[in-house]
Structure formats: C-alpha cells, structure tokens
Amino acid sequence: MNTSVKRNSALIASALTLGTFALATQAQLLEEVIVTAQKRAESAQDVPIAISAMSEEMIADTGVDNITQVLPLLPGVTGATAGIATNAWAIRGISTNDWSTGSEPSVAIYVDEAYIGRNTLATTAFFDLAGLEAIKGPQGTLFGRNAAAGAISLTTNKPANENSLKVGLGAGSEGQQQYNVIANGALNDDFAVRLAYRGTRFEGFWEEVANNEDAYRDEDAIRLSARWDISDSVQSILTLNYGEQESNMNGGYNPLLSTVEPGVEFPDKVARSTLDREKNETQGVNLRITWQLAGGMVLTSITDARNFDYSYQQDVDGSNADATIDSILASLFGQPAITGGLTLEFANPSVEGSTFSQELRLAGGSDSVDWFLGVNYFDEEVDETQLFNVIDTALGLGTIFFDRNINAGSNKALGAFGDVRWAVSDALALTAGGRWTRDKKDWCTEGYADLGFISVSTDGQLCDSQEWSDFSPRLIAEYRLSDDLMVYASASQGYKAGGFNPAAADFNSDFIGDSVAGFDPESNRSYELGLKSEFMDGRMRFNIAAYNSDYEDLQIATATIGGI
C-alpha cells in the first residue's frame, strides 16, 4: 500500500577533492568535468546546481559495472539493490521503495537525455559511457520529465571519425568474468558506426545445497549506433540496444533458520526450499536529430522507444526450515500444523512494459542570455502479475494457498518546460525556469486471495482513471566572487505524479475488493545555498551546499493485510 506523508529535511553536503599527489614534486591538476545538465556544455564548477559528475576516465578508473555500484562514490547519492532490476536509487535520502508498476521512481533516470520510465530498463545501459551526471534536488525545467528528488543522466559514447577496436577481458577469484568489445568505424567524415558489447559472468560464489545449484549472475548487453551528418547543419544519431540478465542471487538468506552450520558451511553454502530466479530482457531504439538554425539556435528532436520483459521468483523465508515455517503460519490460524512442512514464495511471473517518448527542444542565446524551450510526450503501457504462494514440501501437495494480483496500466504525460539565464554583469547571473505537466493514468486490477498477504479477492476486474496537472518553477541567483569562487542561491519545486496500489481495497470489510486504491501526487519545495571553489592552482576543489526540502504527500509503500 502507498501512504502519503509530509517530510521536511535540511542538510549540509560538501565535497572536498585534492589532486592526486598534489604535494609531490610533479603537481597534478584536477580533471575538469564537462556537463550538459543545462543543455549547454559547461564545466561542472560553473553550474549553480548541486551536481556530481564523472567523466569516462573516472568511471573506468573505479572499475564499477552498474549504476548501483557507482552511486556511493557521489556525495548525497546512494544506491541499493535486491537483485537485477529491483533497485532503490536515492538522492538526498529520497528514493522509491515501491517497484510495482502503479507508481513511478522519485529519482529519474535518463540515457542520452531520454527518460527511462522504469529502473528495469536502465540496468543494462551502464557500459561504454562518455559520462554520468547526478543532479540533486527537484528537476523539471531541465529534463523532459519531472523528478521530485533529482535525476541521474547517462551519456553514451557516440560514433567517432576513426577506425578502432578495443577488447577487454577480466576475471576474478570468485568466478567473475567480464568481456568488453568496442568497435568504431567511419565510412567517411559524415557517416560512422559504433558497436559496443559487454558480458559478465558471476558463478560459484556460494552453493545452494538444498537444490544443488551454484550461485550465478549472467548479463549481456549490446549497443549499435550510427551517426550521419546529413548536412553541415543537420546531424542524426540512431541507437539500437538490447540486453538480457539472469540470476539466482536476487533473494535473501535467513541465517536464523539455517540448516547449514554458520562459520563452517555458511556463507559458502546456503539452503533454501525453492529456487530464486530473476530474468530481465530489454530492447530499445533512440533517434536524435539536431538542426543548427540561423542566429545560433539549435533544434533538437529525441525519439525513444523501449520495452522490457521481466520475471522474478523468491523464497520469501530464505531457508529450508519448512517445519518451522509451517508452525509459524499454522499459529496464525490457531492450529498446531498444516502439512508438516511449508515454504513461502513471492513471484512476478510476468511483467511486461513498453515506453515511448518524444521531445522537441529549441535552444539559443546571445552574449548575455542563454535560453531553451521544450515539449515532451511520454506514453507507457505495463502489465504485471504478482503471486504469493504457500507451498507444501512435506506431502508433495505443491501450492496449497496463493494470493494473486493481475494488473494493467497506462500512463500518458505531456509537458512543456523552459529555462532562461541572464548574465546581468560579469559577476551576477539570474536564472528562471518553469514546467507545466499533465498526467493521465488508467489502472485495472483483479485479485484472488486465500490469505490476503498481498491481495484481496475481487468480483472481476476493477478499473479507474485519474488525471493530475502541475506547474513547477525554478529560480537561481549566482554570484562569482572570483574566477575560482562562486556562490549561489536557488528555489525550486518538484513533482511526481500520483498512481495506484497494485492490490484492490476492501473499504466495506466484506473480504471482497471493491475499489481501486489510488494515491495523490508527490511534491517537493527545495531551497538551497551553495558554494563552488578551486584552490592551489586547480589542485584542490571545495564545494558545499546547504538545502531544505519540504515534501508533501511523500509516496511510501507499506505492507498490509488484505490489500487495504
């Protein structure tokens, strides 16, 4: 169930960076990271936003291979995962703990400036990257979709005018293997293609002794892109991508109910009654066209379409102590035992979704003014089945109780946004922006419940439709005290659309679901003071930001009985 609460947070975040061996005889300057969060290339130190960025070289030096691993390296950003696609990415302490298809993430993910509506679609994108940007605080005027907490933007490498081939191989002591292939070819100065592949294998970290299976995680991702400079003023980049992932390491393990001996067998050996499984397959196409217009204006079109097919299965109790599970469950019904041995399983046997987005953006400027205007359309279709099974392992009866939700939803959103920066003087600049958004969601659910752990039975399919609209402004004042020292103050508002709970609600307490349970949009007003500075001739960098975020109707998923 999703509940609405109000949360207010205030914090000071800072980052201190020193050039490597800055005091050695050969001083080393800090790398300048170029970002495009404001739709123009500029140094991260010149942007009056709390932003953490990593270049291609920085990402390569860390050795990480997914978003969750890299986020802890960025101040104010955290990441956690319970499997391949069940990720919780947080900015300034705010994330989404509901992975159902009825809600949206508080941290928006963008790949090549295209909004990725589900984390499921983003997990196979982290390879052959030109850079990563984490923009903290409400976002709506800079990107094609709203984000209440912030945004993470991944930029992939584009085809270059060169012929090259790079092959990388890696291996670890616990069965890890990694394969990387990057091939770039240029037909001429106007046409080039790039092929990137990444494969990872993780096997044998531990053994699941009850089912005689080794732990494994396999991932393959491929991206093919083509750049065509149609004329001196028009460029197009077409990108096709495909990814697949499979693992049996998505569930947890319960040492309190372990049948293997801690310190002797565990953690090298674990025991669970049912096999954990997680599979994810993604496909996508992105077309970016830019036109250089008269007067220095640039028109950009970004068309993006993606789909995914995902499934999940987990031994909920994380053990094979089935007699104990039977006793615990039987006590809820006031009897000593049900069959003598039970295990609990949660599953998403089928989650399918598709997204389409179209963005048009016009940018221009003069000596003292930079501006851009944009419109964005987003369309998402999702279908999901959720199961909670009680399985007998003592008598061979199989599934004896189960709860089931069958959900189908659609989400259509239209937004118009813009931003203008006026350099009042060499030291002072003012920025103002705004975004108008309209969201329309349709949701249908059908449930069957023996126990009511995740659902409530319904008399057929229940459907509902909701619409919301919002205007989110942004104001910034920045003042440069010197070439290496800038202070800024900002006020902004974020918004995340409302949605629907995956299970129906039984408001009249007759054990039959009678309503689709929706929840309101989430909003965030944020105020920030910041300083960005460099010292020691570019060998030391010190940035600090103090912010206050006031959330209204914060969306949080909580577990209840009976889908209420």
Side-chain angles (χ1 to χ4, degrees), residues 508-524:
N508 56 16
S509 302
D510 62 355
F511 301 102
I512 298 296
D514 49 61
S515 302
V516 173
F519 48 89
D520 294 332
E522 174 181 301
S523 62
N524 172 21

PDB file of all heavy atoms in Angstrom, residues 508-524:
ATOM      1  N   ASN A 508     -15.390  -1.728   2.551  1.00  0.00           N
ATOM      2  CA  ASN A 508     -16.572  -2.079   3.346  1.00  0.00           C
ATOM      3  C   ASN A 508     -16.387  -3.370   4.150  1.00  0.00           C
ATOM      4  O   ASN A 508     -17.354  -3.904   4.708  1.00  0.00           O
ATOM      5  CB  ASN A 508     -17.826  -2.175   2.463  1.00  0.00           C
ATOM      6  CG  ASN A 508     -17.642  -3.163   1.330  1.00  0.00           C
ATOM      7  OD1 ASN A 508     -16.719  -3.991   1.355  1.00  0.00           O
ATOM      8  ND2 ASN A 508     -18.504  -3.081   0.323  1.00  0.00           N
ATOM      9  N   SER A 509     -15.153  -3.891   4.202  1.00  0.00           N
ATOM     10  CA  SER A 509     -14.778  -5.014   5.091  1.00  0.00           C
ATOM     11  C   SER A 509     -15.621  -6.262   4.883  1.00  0.00           C
ATOM     12  O   SER A 509     -15.963  -6.951   5.852  1.00  0.00           O
ATOM     13  CB  SER A 509     -14.877  -4.558   6.561  1.00  0.00           C
ATOM     14  OG  SER A 509     -14.042  -3.448   6.815  1.00  0.00           O
ATOM     15  N   ASP A 510     -15.924  -6.576   3.622  1.00  0.00           N
ATOM     16  CA  ASP A 510     -16.650  -7.821   3.345  1.00  0.00           C
ATOM     17  C   ASP A 510     -15.754  -8.853   2.682  1.00  0.00           C
ATOM     18  O   ASP A 510     -16.231  -9.850   2.140  1.00  0.00           O
ATOM     19  CB  ASP A 510     -17.870  -7.542   2.469  1.00  0.00           C
ATOM     20  CG  ASP A 510     -17.504  -6.969   1.103  1.00  0.00           C
ATOM     21  OD1 ASP A 510     -16.297  -6.692   0.877  1.00  0.00           O
ATOM     22  OD2 ASP A 510     -18.407  -6.793   0.265  1.00  0.00           O
ATOM     23  N   PHE A 511     -14.419  -8.626   2.725  1.00  0.00           N
ATOM     24  CA  PHE A 511     -13.413  -9.528   2.161  1.00  0.00           C
ATOM     25  C   PHE A 511     -13.496  -9.635   0.643  1.00  0.00           C
ATOM     26  O   PHE A 511     -12.958 -10.568   0.055  1.00  0.00           O
ATOM     27  CB  PHE A 511     -13.506 -10.925   2.795  1.00  0.00           C
ATOM     28  CG  PHE A 511     -13.306 -10.919   4.278  1.00  0.00           C
ATOM     29  CD1 PHE A 511     -14.392 -11.013   5.138  1.00  0.00           C
ATOM     30  CD2 PHE A 511     -12.036 -10.788   4.809  1.00  0.00           C
ATOM     31  CE1 PHE A 511     -14.209 -10.982   6.509  1.00  0.00           C
ATOM     32  CE2 PHE A 511     -11.839 -10.764   6.185  1.00  0.00           C
ATOM     33  CZ  PHE A 511     -12.931 -10.866   7.038  1.00  0.00           C
ATOM     34  N   ILE A 512     -14.149  -8.672   0.007  1.00  0.00           N
ATOM     35  CA  ILE A 512     -14.189  -8.566  -1.449  1.00  0.00           C
ATOM     36  C   ILE A 512     -13.710  -7.175  -1.829  1.00  0.00           C
ATOM     37  O   ILE A 512     -14.243  -6.165  -1.357  1.00  0.00           O
ATOM     38  CB  ILE A 512     -15.608  -8.800  -2.011  1.00  0.00           C
ATOM     39  CG1 ILE A 512     -16.096 -10.205  -1.675  1.00  0.00           C
ATOM     40  CG2 ILE A 512     -15.613  -8.583  -3.531  1.00  0.00           C
ATOM     41  CD1 ILE A 512     -15.293 -11.321  -2.312  1.00  0.00           C
ATOM     42  N   GLY A 513     -12.677  -7.122  -2.678  1.00  0.00           N
ATOM     43  CA  GLY A 513     -12.173  -5.829  -3.111  1.00  0.00           C
ATOM     44  C   GLY A 513     -13.217  -5.055  -3.879  1.00  0.00           C
ATOM     45  O   GLY A 513     -13.833  -5.584  -4.813  1.00  0.00           O
ATOM     46  N   ASP A 514     -13.443  -3.801  -3.485  1.00  0.00           N
ATOM     47  CA  ASP A 514     -14.493  -3.012  -4.118  1.00  0.00           C
ATOM     48  C   ASP A 514     -13.982  -1.753  -4.804  1.00  0.00           C
ATOM     49  O   ASP A 514     -14.745  -1.085  -5.491  1.00  0.00           O
ATOM     50  CB  ASP A 514     -15.551  -2.616  -3.078  1.00  0.00           C
ATOM     51  CG  ASP A 514     -14.939  -2.020  -1.825  1.00  0.00           C
ATOM     52  OD1 ASP A 514     -14.272  -0.974  -1.918  1.00  0.00           O
ATOM     53  OD2 ASP A 514     -15.114  -2.635  -0.747  1.00  0.00           O
ATOM     54  N   SER A 515     -12.708  -1.405  -4.625  1.00  0.00           N
ATOM     55  CA  SER A 515     -12.204  -0.143  -5.168  1.00  0.00           C
ATOM     56  C   SER A 515     -10.748  -0.276  -5.589  1.00  0.00           C
ATOM     57  O   SER A 515      -9.976  -1.025  -4.976  1.00  0.00           O
ATOM     58  CB  SER A 515     -12.314   0.990  -4.131  1.00  0.00           C
ATOM     59  OG  SER A 515     -13.641   1.171  -3.712  1.00  0.00           O
ATOM     60  N   VAL A 516     -10.401   0.472  -6.611  1.00  0.00           N
ATOM     61  CA  VAL A 516      -9.001   0.648  -6.967  1.00  0.00           C
ATOM     62  C   VAL A 516      -8.432   1.736  -6.057  1.00  0.00           C
ATOM     63  O   VAL A 516      -8.987   2.826  -5.970  1.00  0.00           O
ATOM     64  CB  VAL A 516      -8.837   1.041  -8.440  1.00  0.00           C
ATOM     65  CG1 VAL A 516      -7.388   1.379  -8.754  1.00  0.00           C
ATOM     66  CG2 VAL A 516      -9.331  -0.071  -9.347  1.00  0.00           C
ATOM     67  N   ALA A 517      -7.374   1.432  -5.356  1.00  0.00           N
ATOM     68  CA  ALA A 517      -6.813   2.361  -4.374  1.00  0.00           C
ATOM     69  C   ALA A 517      -5.738   3.213  -5.021  1.00  0.00           C
ATOM     70  O   ALA A 517      -4.678   2.714  -5.394  1.00  0.00           O
ATOM     71  CB  ALA A 517      -6.237   1.589  -3.183  1.00  0.00           C
ATOM     72  N   GLY A 518      -6.021   4.492  -5.170  1.00  0.00           N
ATOM     73  CA  GLY A 518      -5.058   5.419  -5.756  1.00  0.00           C
ATOM     74  C   GLY A 518      -4.384   6.267  -4.694  1.00  0.00           C
ATOM     75  O   GLY A 518      -4.742   6.227  -3.512  1.00  0.00           O
ATOM     76  N   PHE A 519      -3.412   7.041  -5.107  1.00  0.00           N
ATOM     77  CA  PHE A 519      -2.746   7.969  -4.197  1.00  0.00           C
ATOM     78  C   PHE A 519      -2.382   9.233  -4.956  1.00  0.00           C
ATOM     79  O   PHE A 519      -2.279   9.252  -6.189  1.00  0.00           O
ATOM     80  CB  PHE A 519      -1.506   7.341  -3.551  1.00  0.00           C
ATOM     81  CG  PHE A 519      -0.569   6.654  -4.499  1.00  0.00           C
ATOM     82  CD1 PHE A 519       0.462   7.339  -5.120  1.00  0.00           C
ATOM     83  CD2 PHE A 519      -0.725   5.303  -4.785  1.00  0.00           C
ATOM     84  CE1 PHE A 519       1.325   6.710  -5.983  1.00  0.00           C
ATOM     85  CE2 PHE A 519       0.146   4.640  -5.649  1.00  0.00           C
ATOM     86  CZ  PHE A 519       1.166   5.362  -6.251  1.00  0.00           C
ATOM     87  N   ASP A 520      -2.197  10.318  -4.189  1.00  0.00           N
ATOM     88  CA  ASP A 520      -2.007  11.648  -4.757  1.00  0.00           C
ATOM     89  C   ASP A 520      -0.581  11.866  -5.253  1.00  0.00           C
ATOM     90  O   ASP A 520       0.341  11.136  -4.876  1.00  0.00           O
ATOM     91  CB  ASP A 520      -2.350  12.715  -3.714  1.00  0.00           C
ATOM     92  CG  ASP A 520      -3.825  12.715  -3.326  1.00  0.00           C
ATOM     93  OD1 ASP A 520      -4.639  12.324  -4.174  1.00  0.00           O
ATOM     94  OD2 ASP A 520      -4.132  13.090  -2.173  1.00  0.00           O
ATOM     95  N   PRO A 521      -0.386  12.921  -6.062  1.00  0.00           N
ATOM     96  CA  PRO A 521       0.983  13.264  -6.494  1.00  0.00           C
ATOM     97  C   PRO A 521       1.855  13.671  -5.318  1.00  0.00           C
ATOM     98  O   PRO A 521       1.379  14.094  -4.265  1.00  0.00           O
ATOM     99  CB  PRO A 521       0.757  14.436  -7.456  1.00  0.00           C
ATOM    100  CG  PRO A 521      -0.655  14.327  -7.895  1.00  0.00           C
ATOM    101  CD  PRO A 521      -1.399  13.748  -6.727  1.00  0.00           C
ATOM    102  N   GLU A 522       3.149  13.548  -5.531  1.00  0.00           N
ATOM    103  CA  GLU A 522       4.154  13.954  -4.556  1.00  0.00           C
ATOM    104  C   GLU A 522       4.783  15.257  -5.025  1.00  0.00           C
ATOM    105  O   GLU A 522       5.079  15.429  -6.212  1.00  0.00           O
ATOM    106  CB  GLU A 522       5.213  12.854  -4.452  1.00  0.00           C
ATOM    107  CG  GLU A 522       6.412  13.174  -3.569  1.00  0.00           C
ATOM    108  CD  GLU A 522       7.412  12.018  -3.567  1.00  0.00           C
ATOM    109  OE1 GLU A 522       7.011  10.903  -3.185  1.00  0.00           O
ATOM    110  OE2 GLU A 522       8.566  12.232  -3.982  1.00  0.00           O
ATOM    111  N   SER A 523       4.984  16.192  -4.100  1.00  0.00           N
ATOM    112  CA  SER A 523       5.607  17.467  -4.459  1.00  0.00           C
ATOM    113  C   SER A 523       6.716  17.794  -3.471  1.00  0.00           C
ATOM    114  O   SER A 523       6.733  17.308  -2.340  1.00  0.00           O
ATOM    115  CB  SER A 523       4.579  18.600  -4.489  1.00  0.00           C
ATOM    116  OG  SER A 523       4.009  18.792  -3.207  1.00  0.00           O
ATOM    117  N   ASN A 524       7.626  18.642  -3.898  1.00  0.00           N
ATOM    118  CA  ASN A 524       8.804  18.967  -3.098  1.00  0.00           C
ATOM    119  C   ASN A 524       9.215  20.403  -3.374  1.00  0.00           C
ATOM    120  O   ASN A 524       9.487  20.772  -4.520  1.00  0.00           O
ATOM    121  CB  ASN A 524       9.952  18.014  -3.445  1.00  0.00           C
ATOM    122  CG  ASN A 524      11.258  18.418  -2.794  1.00  0.00           C
ATOM    123  OD1 ASN A 524      11.278  19.152  -1.811  1.00  0.00           O
ATOM    124  ND2 ASN A 524      12.362  17.953  -3.354  1.00  0.00           N
TER     125      ASN A 524
END
